Amino acid sequence: MFTEREPGQPIVYVRSHSPGNILDDSINDGNSVELRIENERVLVRDIESTSNNNYKGIIYGFEPSFLTEFKGLKLDEVITFGERHIFCYVKK
């Protein structure tokens, strides 16, 4: 269902960084990610690792449509997805 990143395409990491600190680009529980279905972004919060390169989280938005339901997915629904589906990762 979710679009997969092209082979070799990196995940975009969004976070603040203080000079002199080590840059950590690992995906951690509790943060947010952006998945895609076609041209629609599926925004997912409170992610949690479930197994090797797999996660679950809660849908909190669809962009650019701002719908409450898209392709059978609904706001506040818990979904599972793979690392290959993550396009953007927002670190707290």
Side-chain angles (χ1 to χ4, degrees):
M1 167 184 281
F2 297 110
T3 303
E4 293 185 15
R5 289 188 326 278
E6 293 292 326
Q9 180 183 4
I11 297 172
V12 174
Y13 289 90
V14 179
R15 70 230 174 255
S16 60
H17 179 261
S18 300
N21 290 330
I22 295 174
L23 188 63
D24 177 15
D25 62 0
S26 58
I27 297 174
N28 299 309
D29 289 355
N31 291 323
S32 300
V33 295
E34 176 190 300
L35 313 177
R36 294 185 187 163
I37 299 176
E38 300 164 1
N39 292 325
E40 190 76 12
R41 294 187 301 274
V42 180
L43 308 176
V44 182
R45 64 177 168 82
D46 300 328
I47 64 165
E48 181 181 320
S49 179
T50 59
S51 63
N52 191 26
N53 291 325
N54 291 299
Y55 300 88
K56 69 177 182 178
I58 303 168
I59 297 173
Y60 72 91
F62 299 102
E63 292 180 352
S65 70
F66 298 110
L67 295 170
T68 58
E69 184 174 338
F70 182 79
K71 299 273 184 174
L73 298 172
K74 298 178 182 178
L75 291 180
D76 297 321
E77 180 177 351
V78 175
I79 58 167
T80 58
F81 53 93
E83 184 271 341
R84 67 192 177 281
H85 301 119
I86 300 172
F87 283 83
C88 182
Y89 170 67
V90 181
K91 194 166 197 135
K92 286 184 179 180

